[in-house]
Amino acid sequence: MTLYDTIPTVGYRASDSSDPGIDVVDLDRFRQRRGRYAFNPYQPHRVSYFCFVYIEQGQGQHQVDGVLHPYQDGSVIFINQDQIHAFDPNDTPKGKMVNITPTFFSECAANIRNSYFVPFHLSLTQAPVLQMTPELSQSCRVLLAEMTQAISEVDNDPVVVQLLFAALALKLSQHRRDHGNGVDDLRRQRFNEFLFLVEQGFAREREAKHYAEQMHLSYKALNQLCKRCCGRTAKQIIDFRLNLEITRKLSMKGGSIQSIAYDLGFDDTTNFVRYFKRHNGLTPSAYRAAYERDAMMSVDTSL
């Protein structure tokens, strides 16, 4: 057994059956409740969900995948699903931690019908720490307060929470796009061009070579561009976008598995099922059944 195998994996903890799949946790409260956790937040631990930490006041270093990243007032620390991170034991920052399930992202995509979340999602591995302007930090503070209020309301409408998150995600992704760390304007422009092409063609073409040819780049050059801008290969980006669309369609009522497969460019349902299971660990039918079960539980609780 390696050291990597001994690192604990932390799952998303729903507050109750009506939990929308997103939780805003005050950092002071998080530290106060440390004794209740089965893991030490100051030691490396893997998260099975997405999260980001908003530092309202504080200065220290947050460990992400074994690397220490400095932060300060107005920083946002992004932690991607399945990444390993640890808090700084020498700092007690003020702020919020936002935990987000993959299902919440799918529901946002289904209800809002927008791909705001795509560049936000992809940017999580580019640079874990994003430094906000004072104005953006204030907007972040206000939107997180609104989200906290919406989540806490007994008769909360999950779409309200999704819209508030969409506004915050869009602001952060725009800021990251315009202030990319270590990426010059030309690379950002070319990477955004690639994302646009993927957005237009992911349902028809899943091979990175196709997009490289459209951009008059070699396959190797496109991969280097993608890794520099977001830490992922071109193929991983294409698969991520396609998988997001599949989960969006599965989350919507209507549409057979076969029709979804056909709409998204799969000529064989068996290949579609294998593709989805490889990326999600379960079949499309099992995913849809779980989604509908969770939705039904939410409705029952609100009645």
Side-chain angles (χ1 to χ4, degrees):
M1 178 179 291
T2 66
L3 179 61
Y4 184 84
D5 296 323
T6 65
I7 294 175
T9 297
V10 180
Y12 179 86
R13 296 181 61 180
S15 57
D16 53 48
S17 58
S18 64
D19 188 293
I22 183 170
D23 189 25
V24 181
V25 182
D26 184 84
L27 291 180
D28 282 338
R29 187 183 180 195
F30 176 71
R31 286 188 291 269
Q32 292 169 3
R33 296 167 62 91
R34 176 186 168 187
R36 303 184 185 184
Y37 306 140
F39 69 99
N40 183 350
Y42 300 109
Q43 294 295 322
H45 56 282
R46 184 185 296 104
V47 290
S48 62
Y49 47 87
F50 301 93
C51 76
F52 66 86
V53 182
Y54 165 53
I55 305 296
E56 187 173 346
Q57 293 181 351
Q59 186 171 1
Q61 299 183 99
H62 199 92
Q63 184 184 140
V64 181
D65 287 341
V67 179
L68 293 174
H69 297 271
Y71 62 79
Q72 56 185 303
D73 296 359
S75 293
V76 176
I77 305 165
F78 296 102
I79 311 299
N80 208 351
Q81 183 183 23
D82 294 327
Q83 280 194 303
I84 297 169
H85 76 118
F87 287 85
D88 188 342
N90 299 315
D91 187 39
T92 55
K94 302 288 185 182
K96 308 290 184 182
M97 179 170 61
V98 184
N99 300 326
I100 312 156
T101 65
T103 301
F104 179 82
F105 272 106
S106 299
E107 291 173 348
C108 283
N111 292 328
I112 300 172
R113 312 288 179 86
N114 202 295
S115 58
Y116 290 154
F117 316 107
V118 177
F120 176 75
H121 234 85
L122 292 173
S123 70
L124 295 179
T125 55
Q126 178 192 357
V129 178
L130 175 67
Q131 187 59 40
M132 297 184 289
T133 63
E135 295 77 16
L136 180 55
S137 182
Q138 174 63 18
S139 293
C140 182
R141 186 182 304 113
V142 171
L143 286 169
L144 287 176
E146 291 289 338
M147 287 167 56
T148 302
Q149 178 63 32
I151 292 170
S152 67
E153 293 175 353
V154 176
D155 57 346
N156 70 75
D157 185 342
V159 177
V160 173
V161 180
Q162 293 167 14
L163 288 170
L164 289 167
F165 176 75
L168 178 57
L170 179 58
K171 283 178 175 288
L172 293 176
S173 63
Q174 286 179 332
H175 184 69
R176 183 183 286 279
R177 181 192 64 203
D178 297 335
H179 301 83
N181 295 331
V183 179
D184 58 46
D185 290 341
L186 179 58
R187 285 193 178 94
R188 280 202 298 270
Q189 181 181 347
R190 293 292 271 164
F191 182 64
N192 287 334
E193 179 185 347
F194 171 65
L195 290 181
F196 176 80
L197 290 174
V198 171
E199 187 67 23
Q200 298 300 309
F202 69 88
R204 302 183 304 275
E205 183 57 62
R206 299 192 295 275
E207 294 302 321
K209 183 179 179 180
H210 168 82
Y211 297 98
E213 292 173 350
Q214 282 188 292
M215 296 176 67
H216 304 291
L217 293 173
S218 68
Y219 174 81
K220 181 179 179 180
L222 178 59
N223 267 336
Q224 290 175 336
L225 174 69
C226 293
K227 287 182 179 180
R228 179 68 180 270
C229 291
C230 78
R232 295 190 181 188
T233 66
K235 177 60 174 172
Q236 286 173 327
I237 293 171
I238 298 165
D239 285 337
F240 173 84
R241 182 62 186 97
L242 178 59
N243 191 58
L244 181 65
E245 190 67 15
I246 295 172
T247 55
R248 184 184 75 83
K249 288 182 177 294
L250 290 173
S251 302
M252 298 169 65
K253 291 185 178 179
S256 65
I257 302 298
Q258 184 176 10
S259 66
I260 293 174
Y262 179 77
D263 289 344
L264 294 177
F266 291 86
D267 54 8
D268 183 270
T269 305
T270 301
N271 290 335
F272 172 71
V273 172
R274 287 174 179 168
Y275 179 90
F276 186 81
K277 188 173 183 179
R278 184 168 69 250
H279 289 279
N280 299 277
L282 70 171
T283 65
S285 297
Y287 177 90
R288 172 172 274 177
Y291 177 85
E292 291 176 348
R293 182 177 63 251
D294 292 343
M296 184 63 68
M297 290 178 61
S298 178
V299 171
D300 290 343
T301 302
S302 63
L303 293 178

